[in-house]
Amino acid sequence: MSKLKHPADGGGNNASDPRNDEIRRRIRQWVRPEILDLTAYHVPDSSGLVKLDAMENPYTWPDAVVEEWLAVLRDASLNRYPDPSSRELRARLHQLFAVPQDKGVMLGNGSDELIQLLTMAVTQPGRTVLAPDPAFSMYRMITIFSGMEYVSVPLRQDFSLDREAMLAAMARHEPAIVFIDYPNNPSGRLFDERDLVAIIEAAPGIVVIDEAYHTFAQATFMPCLEQYEHLFILRTLSKMGLAGLRLGILAGDALWLEEINKIRLPYNINILAQLSADFALSHQAMLDEQAEAIRRDRAWLGGAMAALPGVTVFPSDANFILFRVQGGNAVEVFERIRAQGVLIKNLHRDDGLLRDCLRVTVGTGEENRAFLAALDKALQDLEMGS
Ligand SMILES: *Cc1c(COP(=O)(O)O)cnc(C)c1O
């Protein structure tokens, strides 16, 4: 593999080069202070490790399906710009995701891009975006990119939504957007439907219900689009086994989407992504079987983890499991699991709900067993002080 680093990692730039002082001076003069304060989204190196850190689907496609897919790509007109509105793919998704007939569908380069477009459409100095805490980390990041303030409302100890606190914060800040991940990342929890309805009804701006884990939760607010014009449903193909493709879907009122569509770059969904997504979704049964296997293995893995001493498992409706380890050992446990060749996600913060918490993505049976053995050994070794 190439030794060349990403420029953002410091590239070939020699840190002690005196020209850097001048570069830094000009950066401080021009880059917005809130951007200077950010740390770039960190993706850890996973080479050689069992990768259970990023909620990916562990399954690939049978050879015959791969051949069929490549045949589709062979006919792609790479010399031409793609359909700017991805008409065919949008029509398929409209039907597949049961978006109400009179509502619209817009596509993004991952749901991250759609979150960005929504915030860009409404941003103004002094405006806020509100979400529960913890929640998907991109809500905060993208809110800050867009120049708005981010208001987060702590979940209760059991990761349920604090309806009164949410409503009070909404009354106080009048957020332009409320984001709710349903199920919540990182807890895996589906919030109470009545709490969400109360929030939707009280919202002065728009409400985005992010159903990234819909395949695993099988609960949805999609039919509620009929009732609430300021409600949006966000979906993604990432957790369905197509994370590498980058395709997010926003469903909502057509008048609203018309405005948001103005800031979408015309060819944001490239031809390979359009064709590949359309192809993958024509094999819905295969994707459904994979999701079913993950749901089944989630139940097995959660049960096996909960049987280990000192491990608290939080119930999950997603393709990952949040758990807490006893005794302030989370970071140590995380590192010992990685030393045994399994990468999970360390969510530990010194204060707040995620204290001593780690998150594991449900993988293949073999990967889950490797993780479980590594967790078991890490806990036992720590117990014995070795
Ligand atoms: C993983 C995840 C996404 C996915 O983002 P993409 O950009 O579509 O890959 C969105 N929302 C939540 C809550 C997630 O956990």
Side-chain angles (χ1 to χ4, degrees):
M1 228 178 70
S2 157
K3 285 262 156 45
L4 254 189
K5 287 168 84 187
H6 190 279
D9 299 332
N13 200 334
N14 178 353
S16 60
D17 189 324
R19 280 172 302 181
N20 284 346
D21 291 339
E22 172 55 21
I23 297 172
R24 290 207 186 88
R25 192 196 59 75
R26 204 177 287 236
I27 286 174
R28 278 195 303 275
Q29 181 185 356
W30 290 102
V31 176
R32 288 150 50 198
E34 63 271 30
I35 304 298
L36 291 174
D37 284 347
L38 284 176
T39 348
Y41 188 79
H42 174 65
V43 179
D45 184 10
S46 60
S47 37
L49 299 175
V50 174
K51 196 171 183 314
L52 298 178
D53 65 327
M55 282 80 101
E56 290 146 335
N57 175 331
Y59 299 109
T60 51
W61 299 345
D63 288 346
V65 178
V66 172
E67 286 308 318
E68 217 185 305
W69 168 55
L70 292 175
V72 170
L73 295 188
R74 200 164 288 136
D75 292 335
S77 306
L78 274 186
N79 57 320
R80 303 286 176 201
Y81 283 105
D83 171 5
S85 75
S86 311
R87 192 173 307 273
E88 275 177 46
L89 180 56
R90 278 192 306 122
R92 187 188 280 278
L93 287 161
H94 203 131
Q95 200 197 9
L96 194 67
F97 287 171
V99 179
Q101 209 50 49
D102 60 331
K103 297 294 167 176
V105 167
M106 188 175 149
L107 304 184
N109 183 0
S111 37
D112 291 351
E113 187 188 30
L114 292 165
I115 296 170
Q116 187 179 42
L117 292 175
L118 284 162
T119 60
M120 280 169 72
V122 300
T123 184
Q124 250 178 32
R127 285 193 176 169
T128 62
V129 168
L130 186 143
D133 181 53
F136 184 42
S137 60
M138 294 313 289
Y139 303 154
R140 178 193 298 273
M141 299 272 287
I142 293 174
T143 298
I144 293 168
F145 303 161
S146 76
M148 286 188 286
E149 303 242 349
Y150 188 73
V151 177
S152 57
V153 181
L155 295 174
R156 294 206 189 87
Q157 286 298 321
D158 62 353
F159 293 97
S160 65
L161 206 58
D162 187 340
R163 186 204 291 206
E164 284 67 41
M166 286 290 285
L167 293 177
M170 286 166 61
R172 174 141 177 255
H173 297 281
E174 302 193 343
I177 309 179
V178 177
F179 283 109
I180 310 263
D181 38 7
Y182 181 80
N184 170 254
N185 172 8
S187 70
R189 206 187 152 114
L190 273 176
F191 297 126
D192 188 302
E193 268 179 48
R194 289 158 303 180
D195 289 345
L196 261 56
V197 168
I199 288 166
I200 295 167
E201 294 191 340
I206 62 175
V207 177
V208 180
I209 305 224
D210 180 349
E211 299 183 343
Y213 300 97
H214 173 256
T215 345
F216 311 106
Q218 297 179 306
T220 182
F221 271 73
M222 194 66 88
C224 298
L225 288 182
E226 300 266 34
Q227 205 174 338
Y228 303 108
E229 283 83 16
H230 64 297
L231 177 65
F232 291 87
I233 306 294
L234 193 58
R235 295 271 183 93
T236 176
L237 300 193
S238 293
K239 313 292 153 64
M240 291 169 60
L242 297 161
L245 202 58
R246 311 302 302 131
L247 195 81
I249 298 99
L250 182 68
D253 183 81
L255 288 176
W256 267 102
L257 290 184
E258 216 175 283
E259 297 304 316
I260 296 156
N261 196 38
K262 291 177 186 169
I263 43 182
R264 182 180 63 84
L265 297 178
Y267 305 111
N268 65 330
I269 313 298
N270 71 66
I271 184 75
L272 300 179
Q274 289 188 32
L275 292 173
S276 301
D278 201 53
F279 172 80
L281 296 171
S282 72
H283 286 74
Q284 185 60 33
M286 177 182 75
L287 300 179
D288 286 347
E289 268 169 45
Q290 295 180 346
E292 201 187 311
I294 291 167
R295 289 196 300 269
R296 204 175 47 226
D297 292 350
R298 171 182 73 198
W300 175 84
L301 181 60
M305 288 163 68
L308 298 176
V311 175
T312 306
V313 171
F314 295 96
S316 171
D317 290 292
N319 64 341
F320 57 83
I321 296 174
L322 181 76
F323 63 105
R324 182 174 284 140
V325 295
Q326 236 168 30
N329 280 333
V331 177
E332 185 68 20
V333 170
F334 167 77
E335 275 163 10
R336 284 173 182 240
I337 291 172
R338 189 177 50 191
Q340 295 174 76
V342 181
L343 183 65
I344 62 171
K345 178 87 174 175
N346 171 21
L347 294 169
H348 168 75
R349 296 281 172 283
D350 283 331
D351 49 14
L353 284 183
L354 291 174
R355 201 154 52 82
D356 297 327
C357 282
L358 303 173
R359 185 188 65 200
V360 61
T361 304
V362 179
T364 62
E366 194 184 341
E367 290 172 332
N368 297 334
R369 284 189 295 277
F371 158 71
L372 195 65
L375 172 62
D376 190 19
K377 181 161 191 322
L379 293 169
Q380 282 191 28
D381 288 353
L382 272 168
E383 175 75 16
M384 293 188 307
S386 58

